[in-house]
Every structure is written in C-alpha cells, then in structure tokens.
Amino acid sequence: MTSSVADRVAHRLPRPIKCDNCGGPRVHLQKRSFIGLRVTKKWDLIWHCLDCLALVGCHEGTDIPLGLMADAPTRGARFEAHGAFDRLWRGGGLSRAEAYAWMARTLMIPPEHAHIGMLSQRQCETLVAAVKDFQYTKRHARHWKQGTRKRRRK
C-alpha cells in the first residue's frame, strides 16, 4: 500500500481558515507565481492573506502549511534564524534532534513548537543571538579549560 505525500509530513499544521498574523478571514491558497512572487522551488503553493499580505509556503506536493502565516519582517527574521540555527546541527557538533531540543529550552517553548516556521519575529531574533552566544562559548571553552589546567614544572 502506498502512502500519499501528505501522510509523510511529520508536523502537520491545520490548513488556515483565518490569518495567523492579522486574524482576517480572507486567506486563500494560491500559486506564488500568480501573485508575482519569485518561485525558488518547484512547488510554489502558498497560503496568502488578502488583508495584510502575510503568507506561508506549503510542504512539497501538498497544501499543508510549513508554519504560521507571517508578514515580510517576520519572514526575513525566520530566514536569518534558519541560517544561524542550521549551523548548529550541520557540522556544529549537535545532532538535529539535540539542536531542536536546545531551541525549545532556550526559547522556553514546548518541543512541538520548536520549528522556525512557527516562531515570531522577536523569537527569531532571540534565537539568532542565542546561537551566536552558544557558538562563542563553545569556541572559547577550550581556551578557558587550558587556563585552569595545571602546568608541569620543568
């Protein structure tokens, strides 16, 4: 028996009936190219609010939203947060699961909400600062340990 693409989506959010940003009821499923936005992936379906212009992309092959609808500044903050956060688990010494657990603890949110597509602009800014602090601390921990080590006498 084959499963549909939608069945393979791990974190399924409900399809929006009102805007997550402004609460307006005029939310439509549209092609990104239809409203004049750049298409960066082969799957270009988005949920779009006609009142505040908030939007969210969909999982490839489905109409399931990737996160919560967001305005342009929030989407920019999410993009920046992804760039910083992904370095933690892509060669940064943490597994992906460990990184997302760290995100949940750092932002004090439930683990099921620890997805960048569900974060507010302020949470994204907090996450970027926390990642920079984490990387700085990790990078310099080796030097701090060397200062406390006893030296051998010659």
Side-chain angles (χ1 to χ4, degrees):
M1 181 163 98
T2 61
S3 63
S4 71
V5 175
D7 292 337
R8 292 190 296 261
V9 175
H11 302 283
R12 295 181 76 159
L13 291 174
R15 292 157 181 90
I17 55 172
K18 65 177 185 164
C19 178
D20 298 316
N21 189 51
C22 72
R26 298 185 339 142
V27 175
H28 296 283
L29 182 66
Q30 296 179 329
K31 285 194 169 204
R32 184 181 296 262
S33 56
F34 180 73
I35 58 173
L37 296 174
R38 187 180 69 199
V39 179
T40 56
K41 298 176 182 175
K42 61 183 176 181
W43 189 254
D44 72 341
L45 281 183
I46 59 168
W47 288 98
H48 179 250
C49 177
L50 299 176
D51 294 329
C52 71
L53 305 179
L55 58 91
V56 66
C58 295
H59 286 276
E60 189 173 336
T62 73
D63 63 351
I64 299 170
L66 287 164
L68 300 176
M69 297 179 74
D71 57 4
T74 304
R75 290 193 309 272
R78 287 178 182 173
F79 182 81
E80 185 180 350
H82 251 301
F85 177 73
D86 287 354
R87 281 183 241 132
L88 289 181
W89 61 271
R90 289 186 176 160
L94 296 178
S95 70
R96 190 172 184 183
E98 290 170 338
Y100 278 94
W102 175 86
M103 178 200 297
R105 286 191 311 272
T106 301
L107 297 177
M108 295 182 284
I109 57 176
E112 59 271 12
H113 292 169
H115 300 283
I116 291 178
M118 297 179 75
L119 300 181
S120 68
Q121 181 178 355
R122 185 179 189 109
Q123 287 173 317
C124 288
E125 291 165 356
T126 302
L127 180 62
V128 169
V131 167
K132 288 178 181 176
D133 186 51
F134 178 85
Q135 290 172 329
Y136 178 85
T137 303
K138 186 175 180 184
R139 189 177 323 125
H140 292 86
R142 178 179 68 231
H143 301 292
W144 295 331
K145 286 180 183 175
Q146 289 175 352
T148 60
R149 196 180 326 160
K150 291 184 181 180
R151 297 180 185 202
R152 286 193 259 170
R153 294 185 182 188
K154 293 183 180 181

